[in-house]
Amino acid sequence: MYDATLGSLTRVNVRKRWADEERIFTPWLSKNLDQLYPVLGLDLEFLEREKKAGPFKADIFARVTQEGKHAVIENQLESADLRHLGQMLTYVAQLETRYGVWIATSFRGTILRALRTLNAHWPDLTGFFAIKISLFRSSDGTFLPVFDVVDKPNGWEDPIARDFWTYYHCRYPMSSGPNLDEGSSMRRNRILVEEANLRITQYLGGGFVRTYVAGNANEPSEKVLARIEPYREALIKEVRKSELIGGKNRHCTTEFQVNSRDRHNWSEMVDWLESQRKTYERVLRRAFSGGQ
């Protein structure tokens, strides 16, 4: 796993860099709001920390400079919980902000469903972002924070994803795609292998790119896994160098950890994705035809 600018990357606990959320992380983010621009597409200008909102205090209050509106940022260096959801709603309502930005290390399904309901029914002038924060460390000890949007306001699109897939298609114009999954903010590109009726999925994350085998839309997971199973042995043999293939990972997945927001890494990422696509497709077609 290699990032041309940072060397090999290892995922570490966010507390390795920010031991205290209130005293260390929030002040750091206040001074580094530009870290959010690549994933949000919003130019945020810091205004105030611990902004009063009724009986509570919002972690960060900022101006969205290109819109002249405001945003509140709620930080949580742990899994998102219902208490912080309530606080986020209070901040947005009390401060009459355009965006609520909630940063946490993970978001359970119940929390995401609540946010999606809010984004679907809240007034058009307001929207909520759920941002997952991860932390990587390079071989020379440099820390790389990575932000991924896991839920967003209606109509929002990943500001980098479309450029990335366009770059991919220009570099490999004869390759399949892009056949983007709009519901994932264009982070997934899917290639159908008709013989197997399975889809090779290429996923663009903030700190990685990934290739895996998937089924049809809305197909029950257990049914998909049963259909993938006949191909697993051949896939594991062909992509045995992957750090994720085999074991409990029944979806047959390979991953390349890299700072995907740095455009200098895109050529390496695209070459890797294309090589994985070819391998997966070759194995699935050969296995279907009975070849060895």
Side-chain angles (χ1 to χ4, degrees):
M1 298 179 182
Y2 186 73
D3 178 330
T5 60
L6 289 173
S8 60
L9 298 177
T10 303
R11 190 188 299 268
V12 297
N13 190 295
V14 294
R15 299 285 183 175
K16 292 285 186 180
R17 172 65 176 83
W18 305 287
D20 187 277
E21 174 191 307
E22 181 180 353
R23 293 188 297 108
I24 302 177
F25 179 74
T26 296
W28 173 85
L29 186 60
S30 299
K31 298 176 182 179
N32 292 276
L33 288 177
D34 59 314
Q35 295 271 337
L36 297 177
Y37 180 81
V39 290
L40 294 180
L42 302 177
D43 188 6
L44 298 173
E45 176 190 356
F46 172 74
L47 294 179
E48 190 174 341
R49 204 162 69 231
E50 299 296 318
K51 173 74 172 178
K52 288 187 178 180
F56 302 103
K57 293 180 180 180
D59 288 339
I60 297 175
F61 186 58
R63 178 185 291 113
V64 183
T65 57
Q66 65 262 56
E67 298 180 12
K69 304 295 184 180
H70 294 96
V72 290
I73 301 174
E74 176 70 355
N75 301 318
Q76 192 175 1
L77 294 186
E78 55 192 1
S79 181
D81 58 34
L82 291 173
R83 179 172 67 87
H84 284 78
L85 173 61
Q87 290 176 193
M88 173 64 71
L89 292 175
T90 300
Y91 303 153
V92 169
Q94 287 284 331
L95 300 174
E96 299 180 345
T97 63
R98 171 70 175 88
Y99 299 108
V101 180
W102 187 1
I103 298 174
T105 58
S106 64
F107 290 85
R108 292 189 296 272
T110 51
I111 296 290
L112 288 177
R113 283 192 290 273
L115 286 174
R116 287 165 187 161
T117 299
L118 288 170
N119 277 324
H121 298 287
W122 205 270
D124 290 341
L125 294 179
T126 305
F128 298 90
F129 287 98
I131 299 181
K132 178 183 175 181
I133 182 172
S134 303
L135 185 66
F136 295 84
R137 185 165 53 194
S138 71
S139 55
D140 66 1
T142 302
F143 286 106
L144 170 69
V146 171
F147 299 95
D148 274 312
V149 175
V150 294
D151 200 59
K152 74 287 182 186
N154 290 341
W156 180 87
E157 294 181 347
D158 188 314
I160 286 182
R162 188 177 296 279
D163 287 349
F164 174 79
W165 295 117
T166 299
Y167 178 87
Y168 189 139
H169 195 51
C170 289
R171 191 169 176 86
Y172 291 100
M174 301 304 293
S175 181
S176 301
N179 182 19
L180 301 175
D181 182 350
E182 298 290 341
S184 65
S185 301
M186 304 179 297
R187 292 196 183 166
R188 294 189 185 94
N189 182 41
R190 301 180 187 273
I191 302 104
L192 174 64
V193 180
E194 294 181 358
E195 292 91 335
N197 192 26
L198 290 168
R199 285 165 170 76
I200 300 167
T201 302
Q202 299 169 317
Y203 184 81
L204 174 67
F208 62 87
V209 283
R210 182 179 293 163
T211 304
Y212 60 93
V213 181
N216 301 310
N218 301 319
E219 185 176 4
S221 178
E222 288 305 312
K223 184 177 179 180
V224 176
L225 295 175
R227 295 204 295 111
I228 291 174
E229 195 62 32
Y231 308 101
R232 275 178 49 77
E233 184 176 349
L235 284 170
I236 290 171
K237 181 179 179 180
E238 291 287 337
V239 288
R240 58 187 178 276
K241 293 182 180 179
S242 166
E243 295 197 6
L244 290 185
I245 205 71
K248 297 180 179 180
N249 187 2
R250 298 170 62 197
H251 279 88
C252 298
T253 306
T254 52
E255 182 178 283
F256 175 33
Q257 291 183 1
V258 63
N259 179 9
S260 65
R261 302 300 178 182
D262 185 342
R263 293 172 186 256
H264 292 94
N265 295 331
W266 283 10
S267 62
E268 187 179 13
M269 292 160 55
V270 165
D271 289 347
W272 183 87
L273 284 170
E274 181 66 7
S275 69
Q276 294 299 297
R277 180 197 67 78
K278 288 179 178 178
T279 299
Y280 276 77
E281 189 168 346
R282 181 177 66 251
V283 172
L284 291 176
R285 293 188 191 283
R286 186 179 64 200
F288 180 82
S289 64
Q292 299 297 322

